Amino acid sequence: MSAGIQKKNRLLEIFYRAIKGEGISVKELASEYHISTKSISRDINEIQNFLYDSRELVGNTELKYEPGSKCYYLTLDGFLLSKELLAVIKMLIGCRGFGKMELMNLIAKLKGFTSFHDRKLLEKLIAKELYHYNEVNHDCPSVIDRIWQLTRCIDKQVEITITYYKMSREQVKRRIKPIAVLFSEYYYYLIAYRSEDDSWSPIYFRVDRIVHITEHRGTFELDDKRRFDEGELRNKIHFMFPGKERHIRFEFTGPSVQAVLDKIPTAKVVEVQGNRKIIEADTYGTGINRFLLSQGSWVRVLEPKELVEEMKKEVHKLKELYEE
């Protein structure tokens, strides 16, 4: 093989490794290819010049030097970097929303974006978490397949009948109009309207409990006021417990008010008196009760009166349990 072809192959190999997210070390590559560090430096300069001269083709892509690691790294739009993949994979493991085999398949595909070196590092970093991974129990064969089928039905506005396991493990059938799918607290949820109900009150189903879906020929239409805003619901609901919308006000005396504000996206501190913060928020459903109760004596609900009474009733029940 001529020296010219060898150099072209080496340039392509270095560029490909950079695309995969690998750090490009001049010293290490010189040792690997048995050439001088000057030759590797010239290769890197050629790649940098190519990227600069080809902005219209490659966009905002650069091969930048990081003094800390003494390596060059490719920064580019549209590609997942190894550090980004690690963050995504950690999140997938932590959510526990997929069966173990589904999760392993997803991770295997994502690892294909990394270099051989980074792939080994990634496998080392997640090995223990994968070994101890406990999936949430599912009734359907594949959560991913079920989500995709539901998404298509939502897009086409197709009425469906689902066979579903209730919390009591009773199996039921429901004819519904699917309108949204979202993820919350380990589970994916289907939000739908009942087909034979004019109340237009949304109902929630855990996707993993849907064991069968029958797609009907009939479609449905939604006017503007019936269309669903998943983002707004996510900001206001907790643990996917349904109920009415209400504005709440409570006192917080715990050490980290930021943790409360993070958990309740609509929350705002409206008053501060020493370590006593008054917080207001717009919420939906009764799931907020459970979160506030989880804060123990750090929280005292002030408004609305209805919520105050609900909290008192639950606290009395807890007190009775421990007095038995």
Side-chain angles (χ1 to χ4, degrees):
M1 187 183 296
S2 68
I5 293 176
Q6 284 182 337
K7 181 179 180 180
K8 286 181 181 179
N9 289 345
R10 188 175 67 245
L11 276 170
L12 289 172
E13 287 174 10
I14 293 172
F15 188 43
Y16 181 72
R17 290 165 73 162
I19 288 175
K20 288 285 199 176
E22 185 175 333
I24 305 302
S25 167
V26 172
K27 186 176 180 180
E28 289 180 5
L29 288 181
S31 175
E32 182 179 334
Y33 287 106
H34 306 291
I35 57 176
S36 68
T37 55
K38 287 185 178 180
S39 295
I40 295 294
S41 293
R42 283 195 292 269
D43 291 344
I44 290 173
N45 285 334
E46 287 192 41
I47 293 172
Q48 289 175 322
N49 290 335
F50 165 76
L51 295 174
Y52 181 81
D53 294 337
S54 307
R55 289 284 185 183
E56 292 185 5
L57 176 65
V58 300
N60 187 29
T61 303
E62 297 180 76
L63 192 61
K64 292 183 177 180
Y65 183 72
E66 288 190 3
S69 61
K70 296 182 180 180
C71 289
Y72 290 85
Y73 288 92
L74 197 67
T75 62
L76 66 170
D77 300 327
F79 279 84
L80 281 171
L81 302 179
S82 294
K83 59 185 178 182
E84 295 168 333
L85 285 171
L86 176 62
V88 170
I89 289 172
K90 287 277 188 179
M91 185 170 60
L92 285 173
I93 294 171
C95 81
R96 295 177 58 206
F98 300 108
K100 190 163 187 176
M101 289 308 301
E102 285 187 312
L103 177 68
M104 296 293 285
N105 288 335
L106 282 171
I107 291 175
K109 291 177 181 179
L110 289 171
K111 284 193 299 187
F113 287 92
T114 64
S115 65
F116 178 78
H117 174 269
D118 285 348
R119 194 174 308 144
K120 290 293 183 184
L121 175 62
L122 189 63
E123 288 170 353
K124 181 180 177 181
L125 291 172
I126 64 175
K128 290 182 180 179
E129 285 187 274
L130 283 179
Y131 178 77
H132 293 288
Y133 181 76
N134 286 308
E135 64 188 67
V136 174
N137 291 327
H138 297 147
D139 293 308
C140 66
S142 168
V143 173
I144 293 175
D145 289 345
R146 189 69 77 227
I147 291 170
W148 186 241
Q149 183 180 6
L150 290 169
T151 300
R152 288 190 293 101
C153 293
I154 291 166
D155 180 58
K156 296 177 181 178
Q157 295 186 317
V158 174
E159 286 196 25
I160 61 175
T161 293
I162 61 172
T163 304
Y164 182 76
Y165 277 110
K166 297 171 65 175
M167 194 181 299
S168 64
R169 303 306 295 164
E170 175 190 0
Q171 191 178 99
V172 296
K173 287 189 177 183
R174 297 283 186 268
R175 180 159 177 156
I176 56 176
K177 300 172 182 177
I179 54 175
V181 171
L182 59 81
F183 179 84
S184 176
E185 306 290 343
Y186 306 122
Y187 308 111
Y188 287 89
Y189 290 87
L190 168 67
I191 302 168
Y193 293 125
R194 291 181 176 87
S195 292
E196 299 174 357
D197 188 345
D198 295 330
S199 67
W200 294 97
S201 177
I203 50 177
Y204 311 141
F205 302 94
R206 265 180 43 186
V207 170
D208 58 282
R209 289 182 180 165
I210 300 174
V211 294
H212 184 71
I213 298 175
T214 300
E215 299 181 25
H216 300 291
R217 292 183 180 180
T219 58
F220 60 92
E221 293 185 6
L222 298 175
D223 55 33
D224 290 340
K225 66 180 181 179
R226 306 297 181 197
R227 296 189 184 280
F228 202 80
D229 189 332
E230 300 98 308
E232 182 181 10
L233 177 68
R234 186 186 299 280
N235 285 339
K236 293 181 178 180
I237 200 168
H238 297 269
F239 309 114
M240 294 304 291
F241 276 84
K244 62 183 180 181
E245 186 172 349
R246 54 189 176 184
H247 184 78
I248 67 170
R249 182 181 175 93
F250 61 95
E251 171 189 295
F252 181 74
T253 55
S256 178
V257 70
Q258 188 58 52
V260 175
L261 299 179
D262 290 340
K263 189 65 177 180
I264 311 174
T266 61
K268 293 180 181 178
V269 177
V270 296
E271 187 179 335
V272 178
Q273 296 177 356
N275 72 330
R276 179 175 175 267
K277 282 88 174 175
I278 304 300
I279 300 173
E280 294 185 359
D282 293 315
T283 64
Y284 181 84
T286 59
I288 188 64
N289 302 34
R290 283 140 185 85
F291 170 70
L292 295 176
L293 285 165
S294 75
Q295 300 302 298
S297 60
W298 290 340
V299 162
R300 183 168 71 96
V301 175
L302 305 174
E303 296 177 14
K305 187 176 181 180
E306 174 190 41
L307 178 56
V308 174
E309 293 304 315
E310 290 171 6
M311 296 290 283
K312 283 182 179 179
K313 186 176 180 180
E314 194 65 28
V315 170
H316 283 310
K317 285 182 179 179
L318 287 169
K319 184 172 180 291
E320 290 172 359
L321 283 174
Y322 285 99
E323 288 179 344
E324 290 181 354

